[in-house]
Every structure is written in C-alpha cells, then in structure tokens.
C-alpha cells in the first residue's frame, strides 16, 4: 500500500485498484453467463434422455424445447467520494452492490424506479465550477431561484454574487480566480506618478506626505520631521524596544506603522481578510498595503508572500482560498511598482498553519485569515510615517536618502495632486485621456479620482473592463473570464443554470442508481454483492466512499436450429 501523503485523489484511487475492482464486477457477469451456458447443455441432456415413462421417447421427441438464457446487456457504474487528511489517520473503504433483472420473453408488464443520492460533510464538500465573463450581465439560477449580481465593475458583481450565494443554505463558499490577463498597456505620464504593468495602471502619489525611517542602531537620535517638529529619542534595552520607543515618540498628527526585521517563519506584515474573501477588508487595509508597497519598491527589498486561512469550511476550499489571497497581494504589490523578480510566493497550505497551531476544525480565527508578507533579507526596523491634516514632512533629518547607514529617513514622498490632463494611458491601442475631476468624495487630481475616471472609461468600451482598488486599476479584456469554484456540504440536490456570460462548467456531483424489473409468468433473479474495506493507521486520514451498480437483463432464446437438428438426427440414428 502506498504512502498516500501528498498524492492526488486520482493517484490514490489508482493505488487503491479501483479499476481492478470494476473489472471484477464485469467478470462476474461473464462468469454468470458461463454458468447459464453450462446449464443449457445440462438441460439439453435432460431433454434428449430416453425415458421409460414416456414410451421410450425423450422430451425433445415429444416436441418440448429447452430455453437457453443469455444477458442482453449489462451496465456497470461506480460513484466515489474521496477524503484525504494529512496529519491524522489513514482510512480507506469501498463498497459496491449489483442487481440483475431478467425475463424469459418480452414482458407484458413492467415497472421502473429511479433514485438519486448525494452526500457531503465538512471535509467531503462537493464542488461546482463556473466561468464568469468580465462583461457578464447574466444571472445564476440555483434550484429555480435567480441570483442577480449587481455593480458596475467585475469584482463588485462577483462580490455581490458571493454575498448572495453564501447567504443560502445550499452553497457554503465561493472562491474566484481573476483572469491571467496580459495586455499592452503604456502611458506618457511621468513614471514617478503613473506605473503600468500588463495587468494594471497605478497612480503612485498621495495628497499627504509619507516618509520611511530605517532604525538600525539602538542609539539616541533626534529625528527632524519639519522645521517645527523634532523628536528626541534615547537608547533602550534592545533594538526592538528602541524602535517601539521611536514610534511612540512621533506626534499624534502623524500616523505610523512599524515593520520589524525578518525572523525565519514569523510574519513581519500581514494583510487580513474577511471570511471567505480575498480582497481588502477596508480602505485602511488598502492604504497600509499601498504604503508598504511603495517602501518595498523604493528599497528593492526581496519579498516573500504566503496566503492562508483559518479552519472554517472544507480543506480543499481553504487551499484554493489561501492561494488566491497570496495572489491578490502579489498582484497589488506589482501594480504599485514592486519588481516581480523580487517577489517569492510560497505555495499556500490553506488551513495548514492553523492546524499546526491546534486550531479546531470549523473555528473562526482572524489570525489565520491573512497573507503574510516577509522581507527575508532585511535586518533593521522600518517605521513609515504619514502626515495628517496640516502636518508636513520637510527638511527631514537624519537624511539618508543619498546613502549612508544608521538611523534616519531613507525615502520621502512629498504631497502631490498633479494635473495629468495632458497625459493619457493606452490599452491595446486605445488611448484614454487622464481625468482628475473630483468625484465620489475624492478631491480633484487625487490618485483615487484619476483611477475612478479611468476605470469608468475602460468599462464604457465594448472590448475592455476594469476594477478599482483605491488608486490601482485592474485591466482586462471584456471577454476574459474569472474561474469560480462553489462548495456545498448539503446532501440535497443543487442544480445550477447560468446566462449571458455566466457559464456552468461543472455541476455539483451526485450519484444516481437505476433499477428496472420486467415480469412474466416465470422469471429468474440474480444478485451480486461485493465489499472491499482497507484501513491503516498513520499520520494522515484517507477515506473513499461510494456506491456501485450493475444493471443487466437476462433474455430467453430458443436453441439454435442447427443444434436442434443435429440432436434430432443423433436420436434418429440411435433408434435406427
């Protein structure tokens, strides 16, 4: 028996010899046919036997004819469900049953019945798949009830679809993957203010000043924020205590975020998520990741990303969701200027880290609904400083922007609300003039205002679509599709139907068995049952459950004419 740890379900089934089992079911039919043929020969012997009580004649000579039987058809069906849990115990089971119905002649009456069965648990959640086109305007019908997505952008409509579906009892979770789009995107605007990638356009400026202080030495240092604000600090017990001391000393008209140096396996920054989602929870979270992205882009630091989940829902759903959370952060960092070559995305373990921490199945824990962002090559502390209201960052000191070591400002982003109306962004050959008009609560020439207008212009075309993530615009073709995975643990049947750009590519799985019976004056029934069960105790748990069905029809046929004639000739020769 193989070590199932790390194998795919298909590999597990192959190792469990399921194909061999199905073959044996079919061979059972063949062996039954052989017995019927042997019985036919024995019947012929009985029908040709000369009997004294019949006047030294045989039944055949009296006109009686034996009936031979054979299977007209036989259908074999197998339905399986697989559960594999690493770190617990190993359990494998399989069962099957078969019913064979028969008639001697075409039946004068018949009865048929059909049943469907479905099963699901927290672990053995069933899965359905959809494709959602970026310009989709259709609906999803679930068991006869329409679910109508709302919103002007693809992500907004998908968020609406998620909220409505997971509010039902028949769908437990929805995870979607954005299209892997690569477009021709460029701009003639200054690259310090507008950054383009093959998937996005980002406006990388802010109406508030932002600075980045590196803290490498546990030493008394005076930090000049502007002409009227100097922060005096003193050495502490260690570098960590000193960094926290510096942060606490910054006046309240500045907001700060402290990023400790890398320590193996520990998070240095985490983007938290709501249950079942892989998008920003709030504008504050979006701003925090934006500021970190600018720091990473400016310093060229290497980045390691790992998405994860708590233990709510099925393990396969959490693995997919953890992957999407990591991908979401990766693409947002790239959009804001972080070099893709400096980003390492660790394969998600889904709920694996939560399980390692002994969280219980089904437990909601915000600590694990996160993407960790680590900077493994960094040994100093970072303190990002953002001005509020009328506060400014100007004439800062110590100023290490030109190089140097120790404690001080390594980067400074001054407030900016530039007029970019003379510039444009070109997407797939279509030019879009940049518009910074005040809109939706954003001030004129704010980065978010430019993003709002650009996304609206892209969505007004017939060939392109866009999403806004603050000052970042995700761009795709109108025909690009999101992959959607739905998960359900209900035992009830769930039927899905999509329209106008929303296509159901895989329904929730179910097993179906069919039984048929034909009757006449005389009939024969043959039942076959097979059960296989195999278990091993290890550090992981695997179970295969399901049902199998053989449906067959037994038909009566007369003996071949040549066969009968030969037997009769032999009897005549014997009498002569």
């Amino acid at each position: 028996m193989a070590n199932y740890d790390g194998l795919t379900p298909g590999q597990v089934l192959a190792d469990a010899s399921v194909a061999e089992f199905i073959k044996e079911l079919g061979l059972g039919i063949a062996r039954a046919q052989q017995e019927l043929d042997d019985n036919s020969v024995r019947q012929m012997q009985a029908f040709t036997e000369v009997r004294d009580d019949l006047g030294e004649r045989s039944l055949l000579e009296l006109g009686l004819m034996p009936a031979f039987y054979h299977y007209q058809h036989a259908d074999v069906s197998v339905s399986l469900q697989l559960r594999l849990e690493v770190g617990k115990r190993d359990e494998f089971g399989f069962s099957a049953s078969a019913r064979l119905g028969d008639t001697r002649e075409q039946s004068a009456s018949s009865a048929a019945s059909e049943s469907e069965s479905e099963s699901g648990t927290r672990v053995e959640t069933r899965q359905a798949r959809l494709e959602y086109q970026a310009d989709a305007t259709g609906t999803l019908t679930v068991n006869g009830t329409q679910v109508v997505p709302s919103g002007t952008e693809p992500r907004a409509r998908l968020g609406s679809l998620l909220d409505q579906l997971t509010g039902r009892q028949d769908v437990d979770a929805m995870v979607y993957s954005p299209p892997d789009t690569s477009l021709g995107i460029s701009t003639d605007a200054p690259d310090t203010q507008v950054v383009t990638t093959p998937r996005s356009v980002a406006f990388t400026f802010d109406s508030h000043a932002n600075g980045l202080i590196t803290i490498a030495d546990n030493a008394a240092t005076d930090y000049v924020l502007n002409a009227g604000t100097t922060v005096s600090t003193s050495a502490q017990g260690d570098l960590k205590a000193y960094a926290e001391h510096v942060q606490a000393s910054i006046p309240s008209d500045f907001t700060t975020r402290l990023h400790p140096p890398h320590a193996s396996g520990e998070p240095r920054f985490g983007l938290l998520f709501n249950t079942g989602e892989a998008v920003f929870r709030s504008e504050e979270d979006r701003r925090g990741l934006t500021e970190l992205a600018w720091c990473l882009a400016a310093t060229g630091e290497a980045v390691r990303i790992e998405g994860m989940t708590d233990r709510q829902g099925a393990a396969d759903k959490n693995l997919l969701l953890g992957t999407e959370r990591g991908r979401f952060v990766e693409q947002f960092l790239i959009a804001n200027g972080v070099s893709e070559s400096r980003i390492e995305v660790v394969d998600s373990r889904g709920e694996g880290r939560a399980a390692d921490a002994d969280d219980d199945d089904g437990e909601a824990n915000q600590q694990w609904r996160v993407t960790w962002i680590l900077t493994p090559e960094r040994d100093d502390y970072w303190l990002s400083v953002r001005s509020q209201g009328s506060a400014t960052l100007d004439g800062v000191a110590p100023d290490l922007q030109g190089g140097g070591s120790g404690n001080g400002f390594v980067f400074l982003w001054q407030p900016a609300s530039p007029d970019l109306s003379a510039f444009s962004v070109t997407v797939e050959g279509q030019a879009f003039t940049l518009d910074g008009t005040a809109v939706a609560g954003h001030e004129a020439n704010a980065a978010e205002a430019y993003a709002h207008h650009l996304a609206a212009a892209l969505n007004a075309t017939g060939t392109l679509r866009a999403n806004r993530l603050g000052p970042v615009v995700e761009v795709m073709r109108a025909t690009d599709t999101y992959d959607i995975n739905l998960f359900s643990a209900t035992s009830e049947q769930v039927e899905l139907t999509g329209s106008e750009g929303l296509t159901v590519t895989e329904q929730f799985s179910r097993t179906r068995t069919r039984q048929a019976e034909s009757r006449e004056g005389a009939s024969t029934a043959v039942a076959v049952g097979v059960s296989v069960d195999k278990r091993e105790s290890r550090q992981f748990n695997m179970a295969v459950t399901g049902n199998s069905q053989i449906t067959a029809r037994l038909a009566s046929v007369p003996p071949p004419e040549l066969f009968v004639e030969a037997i009769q000739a032999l009897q005549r020769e014997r009498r002569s």
Side-chain angles (χ1 to χ4, degrees), residues 230-248:
T230 298
V231 176
S232 297
T233 63
S234 57
Q236 303 296 311
D238 55 28
L239 187 61
K240 178 178 182 294
Y242 175 71
E244 293 171 345
H245 166 59
V246 176
Q247 182 182 26

Side-chain angles (χ1 to χ4, degrees), residues 348-559:
S348 176
R349 296 174 55 204
E351 63 183 46
R353 286 194 178 271
D356 291 346
D358 294 327
D359 274 17
D360 294 333
D361 281 351
E363 181 175 341
N365 190 337
Q366 181 68 84
Q367 173 187 353
W368 301 112
R369 298 196 300 273
V370 66
T371 293
W372 283 356
I373 306 171
L374 302 90
T375 49
E377 298 177 3
R378 182 167 57 90
D379 297 324
D380 55 352
Y381 282 78
W382 280 352
L383 180 64
S384 59
V385 181
R386 174 182 168 84
S387 67
Q388 299 292 320
S390 59
T392 61
L393 287 171
D394 192 19
V396 297
D399 188 352
L400 304 179
Q401 296 181 75
S405 60
N407 301 333
F409 283 85
V410 289
F411 285 98
L412 184 65
W413 298 268
Q414 290 291 4
S417 298
D419 180 2
L420 301 176
S421 58
F423 303 104
S424 64
V425 168
T426 300
V427 181
E428 297 286 271
Q430 299 184 61
F432 300 88
T433 301
L434 297 178
D435 182 358
T437 306
V439 63
H442 303 301
E443 297 179 356
N445 295 334
E448 292 82 355
Y450 282 107
H452 186 285
H453 288 296
L454 178 59
L458 290 165
N459 284 321
T461 70
T463 58
L464 300 170
R465 289 296 179 268
N467 298 306
R468 283 179 299 120
L469 299 171
V472 175
V473 179
E474 292 181 328
V475 187
M476 67 209 72
R477 298 180 183 86
T479 55
D480 288 339
T481 57
Y482 289 79
D483 292 327
I484 300 177
N485 288 266
L486 301 182
F487 299 84
S488 176
T490 180
S491 60
E492 301 299 323
Q493 178 178 340
V494 183
E495 291 289 345
L496 305 173
T497 306
S499 68
E500 299 177 30
L502 204 165
T503 305
V504 179
T505 58
E506 182 178 329
Q507 293 279 356
F508 286 109
S509 61
R510 62 172 176 266
T511 62
R512 171 176 296 182
T513 63
R514 183 176 180 88
Q515 297 176 332
E517 180 181 1
S518 299
R519 293 181 179 175
E520 198 188 31
S523 62
T524 302
V526 180
V528 179
V530 180
S531 177
V532 177
D533 191 43
K534 198 171 188 178
R535 292 183 176 88
E536 281 191 21
S537 294
R538 293 196 181 180
Q539 294 183 348
F540 49 89
N541 179 20
M542 190 274 294
V544 179
T545 61
N547 56 69
S548 300
Q549 180 96 7
I550 299 178
T551 302
R553 173 170 296 171
L554 187 65
S556 171
V557 296

